[in-house]
Amino acid sequence: MASNAFRAPKGTNDILPPTSRDWVSLTGHARALFERSGYEYVDTPMFEHTEVFERGVGETSEVVGKQMYTFEDMGGRSLTLRPEGTAPVVRAVLEHNLHRAALPVKVYYIGPFFRQERPQKGRYRQFFQLGIEAIGSDDPFVDAEVIEIAWRLLSEVDVQPRLILNSIGHRAASCRDGYLETLVQWLKAHADEMAPPDRERIATNPLRTFDSKEEKTIAVLENAPLITDHLCDDCTSHFAQVRSLLDDVGVSYDLDPRLVRGLDYYTRTAFEFVAGGLGSQNAVGGGGRYDGLSESLGGPPLPGIGFALGVDRILLATEDRKWADPGPPHVFAVALGDDARRDVFELVTDLRRAFLKAEFDVMGRGMKGQMKDADRSGARWAAIVGADELAAGEVTLKDLKNGDQVRVERDRLIEVVRDQKDTDGAGEPGRLR
Ligand code: HAM
């Protein structure tokens, strides 16, 4: 790289060919799968009023407390580049009254998110998520549906995920709030044995001590009281039903009563998908229920559940996979002379309008150079147009595999190419293999 050139900001990636093909293929596959399951596309702004995340995601979460790109606009408003998609989607649902129409609201999104984290493999400052949200129902069937969709997508693209599942109850003295009191007392009694940064969490966000990477803390927490032993009857039964429905559809999971997730809005079902070969950033996705989020954003009670999968991490986990290949052009058109160039441009346009992949020279190369480009492109045919062909209203079709040449009428070119394509059994470009 030249020393005076600009570089993309730290923690961001340029998505370039050929890797971008995998990106297009994965997101296309996800779209089709979400839509088959009744989810519709939404797109919210890249930035929101900062309060949406402070209230929605929670000020004690790491994401809001330490990782947001927050700035003031010219009107003195505090705005934040979205670090996640759930709070914005719920904000949009409430703002546009989607919840007043038929429930549940089932939506999906695909796009960039921003967190000011220390970059490393699989952890970026701009990253991409594929997510769905089902809003308006607390039926365990929705939990099972949502988890199965994430599991299926990951399985279909060969991630072979491990699903970790837990229930973290709901905000009530008989459930999580009561548990938190017990936990805080226990943590206070063991504070001396914990790593110093984790001691602060006892007061701010005690559940998050379970996420500590500090060996000392992990060892102490081996004996800590667990949320699953303190769930209320409703949450216990809800969780049992979710598990049983997942069993019905063959989704296997590992229960982990220490899985707490990093965002404060979660209630009841919480889950994460991990994949091998990714080092410490091995979570390819996560999600859960957020039954109180609507109220945190000023809306009515409106239960919801969803997930987000990390596109960057899925592509890292599937580096060896053969994704869709857009495939070579069916035809590379070669022009001999200026008049023929105009004709070739029309011919290529006609082929493309007929959904065939066609290329031609735009570098002004001579016959030899164009034939070389045709070979290099991997095209099945060169369609050659010179003065002779122009006068006769024909095209010379050269089979680049065996060198055979035939003259075909210009008007029949599409038909001939299409017939041969079907005989060859060539795949459509851009399909997931
Ligand atoms: P999350 O666990 O914070 O959940 O993020 C979901 C996924 O996004 C992660 O598992 C990971 O694959 C990817 N991801 C997160 N941060 C980064 C990063 N810095 N670099 C690369 N990939 C990253 C949420 O965001 C929730 N909104 C999910 C959800 C939807 N819950 C309910 N509905």
Side-chain angles (χ1 to χ4, degrees), residues 331 381-384 395-399 403-408 413 416-417:
V331 174
W381 290 283
I384 304 163
V395 173
T396 297
L397 206 51
K398 178 172 180 182
D399 186 327
D404 289 352
Q405 283 192 191
V406 279
R407 288 273 284 251
V408 296
L413 181 67
V416 172
V417 170

Side-chain angles (χ1 to χ4, degrees), residues 147-168:
I147 295 172
E148 193 278 334
I149 290 170
W151 185 85
R152 181 156 34 111
L153 176 55
L154 291 170
S155 307
E156 282 181 7
V157 299
D158 297 338
V159 172
Q160 318 297 0
R162 189 163 80 89
L163 164 60
I164 303 168
L165 187 63
N166 192 22
S167 173
I168 54 169

Side-chain angles (χ1 to χ4, degrees), residues 37 84 113 142 228 388 415:
S37 310
E84 65 98 52
F113 292 86
V142 191
T228 33
D388 261 12
E415 193 187 320

Side-chain angles (χ1 to χ4, degrees), residues 124-196:
Y124 309 112
R125 292 181 168 174
Q126 175 179 270
F127 55 98
F128 288 80
Q129 285 188 346
L130 291 162
I132 74 173
E133 311 292 347
I135 298 167
S137 167
D138 63 359
D139 191 328
F141 278 90
V142 191
D143 301 50
E145 173 187 283
V146 163
I147 295 172
E148 193 278 334
I149 290 170
W151 185 85
R152 181 156 34 111
L153 176 55
L154 291 170
S155 307
E156 282 181 7
V157 299
D158 297 338
V159 172
Q160 318 297 0
R162 189 163 80 89
L163 164 60
I164 303 168
L165 187 63
N166 192 22
S167 173
I168 54 169
H170 80 298
R171 303 285 320 264
S174 58
C175 198
R176 193 199 311 161
D177 288 351
Y179 163 70
L180 284 178
E181 273 180 32
T182 312
L183 178 67
V184 167
Q185 272 176 13
W186 191 92
L187 290 171
K188 280 184 179 160
H190 293 81
D192 293 350
E193 304 156 55
M194 291 167 62

Side-chain angles (χ1 to χ4, degrees), residues 36 81 195 207 213 217 245 252 320 352 390 395:
R36 258 196 328 274
L81 294 185
L207 264 190
K213 303 277 178 285
T217 309
L245 291 167
S252 51
D320 299 333
R352 290 175 179 170
L390 268 184
V395 173

Side-chain angles (χ1 to χ4, degrees), residues 82-105:
R82 59 184 193 183
E84 65 98 52
T86 311
V89 164
V90 172
R91 191 271 307 141
V93 165
L94 295 173
E95 180 176 337
H96 301 285
N97 286 318
L98 300 190
H99 59 296
R100 300 244 166 94
L103 292 176
V105 177

Side-chain angles (χ1 to χ4, degrees), residues 46-59:
M46 297 291 156
F47 52 85
E48 293 275 347
H49 290 292
T50 302
E51 294 84 352
V52 170
F53 302 112
E54 285 173 349
R55 297 229 198 119
V57 179
E59 284 177 276

